């Protein structure tokens, strides 16, 4: 099982996708999976084999959705600690043609190191963004809702199966 490791004071926590899924529920599984993988990638770049302290992590998320928020919160408690910000106008990974929403995340340490993790532009199909727009407009049919549920589940599975380089671009900022 793929995990992300984080220290909570003196306790090492090993957190898997299924742990975050139980916390979040079924609403935004694609985002939970991509958020989980983004943290794995960021931690590998920032800490190598070392395990970071939860309290040393801050996050700027380009996406305001609950799946990303819950993945980041469950692992780092950044939301609870006031170390989490949303900036939908973040310039990288602006793929949604219907609104400002970035699929990039800046993960930083209290020591000043930071990394940008961005979802690759070919991961989400255009229909995904169209379903999001229909959901905001309240125009989804029952068939749309079922197809979107299935799409989010399938994308969550794909996000976990792809290599990091197939899914994400990781850029060291400092």
């Amino acid at each position: 099982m793929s995990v992300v490791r984080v220290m909570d004071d003196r306790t090492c926590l090993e957190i898997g996708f299924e742990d975050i899924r139980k916390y979040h529920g079924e609403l935004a599984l694609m985002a939970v999976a991509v958020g989980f993988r983004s943290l794995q990638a960021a931690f590998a770049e920032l800490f190598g084999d070392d395990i970071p302290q939860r309290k040393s992590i801050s996050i700027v998320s380009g996406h305001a959705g609950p799946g990303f928020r819950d993945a980041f919160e469950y692992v780092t408690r950044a939301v609870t600690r006031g170390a989490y910000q949303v900036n939908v106008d973040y310039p990288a990974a602006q793929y949604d043609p219907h609104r400002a929403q970035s699929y990039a995340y800046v993960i930083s340490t209290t020591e000043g190191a930071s990394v940008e993790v961005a979802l690759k532009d070919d991961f989400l199909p255009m229909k995904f963004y169209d379903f999001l727009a229909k959901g905001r407009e309240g125009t989804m049919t029952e068939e749309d809702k079922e197809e979107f549920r299935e799409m989010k589940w399938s994308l969550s599975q794909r996000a976990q199966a792809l290599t990091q380089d197939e899914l994400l671009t990781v850029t060291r900022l400092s």
Side-chain angles (χ1 to χ4, degrees):
M1 175 175 89
S2 177
V3 297
V4 62
R5 290 176 179 83
V6 67
M7 296 298 294
D8 185 29
D9 194 22
R10 292 182 288 165
T11 303
C12 178
L13 305 174
E14 291 190 351
I15 300 169
F17 168 77
E18 285 299 321
D19 298 316
I20 303 169
R21 179 181 174 195
K22 290 174 193 171
Y23 171 73
H24 172 76
E26 302 291 314
L27 177 66
L29 289 179
M30 178 285 297
V32 170
V34 171
F36 173 73
R37 292 293 308 278
S38 295
L39 286 170
Q40 285 181 317
F43 286 7
E45 178 66 26
L46 290 168
F47 304 105
D49 292 332
D50 293 340
I51 302 169
Q53 283 286 337
R54 271 182 161 170
K55 63 186 175 187
S56 72
I57 306 296
S58 64
I59 298 170
V60 175
S61 177
H63 200 286
F68 292 107
R69 180 202 62 224
D70 286 354
F72 298 146
E73 169 67 1
Y74 192 87
V75 174
T76 69
R77 291 295 187 241
V79 177
T80 300
R81 295 183 296 104
Y84 179 80
Q85 297 176 346
V86 173
N87 177 4
V88 297
D89 295 314
Y90 188 79
Q94 287 281 344
Y95 307 134
D96 190 329
H98 306 293
R99 66 176 174 168
Q101 189 85 274
S102 171
Y103 288 83
Y105 324 96
V106 176
I107 292 95
S108 304
T109 71
T110 53
E111 292 80 29
S114 64
V115 39
E116 176 190 89
V117 181
L119 184 65
K120 295 271 180 128
D121 64 353
D122 61 351
F123 180 73
L124 294 173
M126 188 54 61
K127 195 165 191 178
F128 182 87
Y129 304 113
D130 293 342
F131 278 141
L132 288 175
K134 282 180 145 186
R136 286 190 303 275
E137 296 162 359
T139 60
M140 288 185 92
T141 65
E142 287 305 313
E143 293 80 20
D144 288 341
K145 290 176 185 176
E146 183 56 33
E147 184 179 352
F148 194 37
R149 272 192 292 274
E150 290 175 15
M151 180 184 289
K152 290 186 285 186
W153 170 252
S154 175
L155 288 167
S156 77
Q157 296 302 295
R158 185 167 174 245
Q160 293 174 76
L162 291 174
T163 67
Q164 178 180 306
D165 290 339
E166 292 170 321
L167 181 66
L168 304 166
T169 301
V170 179
T171 306
R172 188 70 177 239
L173 300 177
S174 61

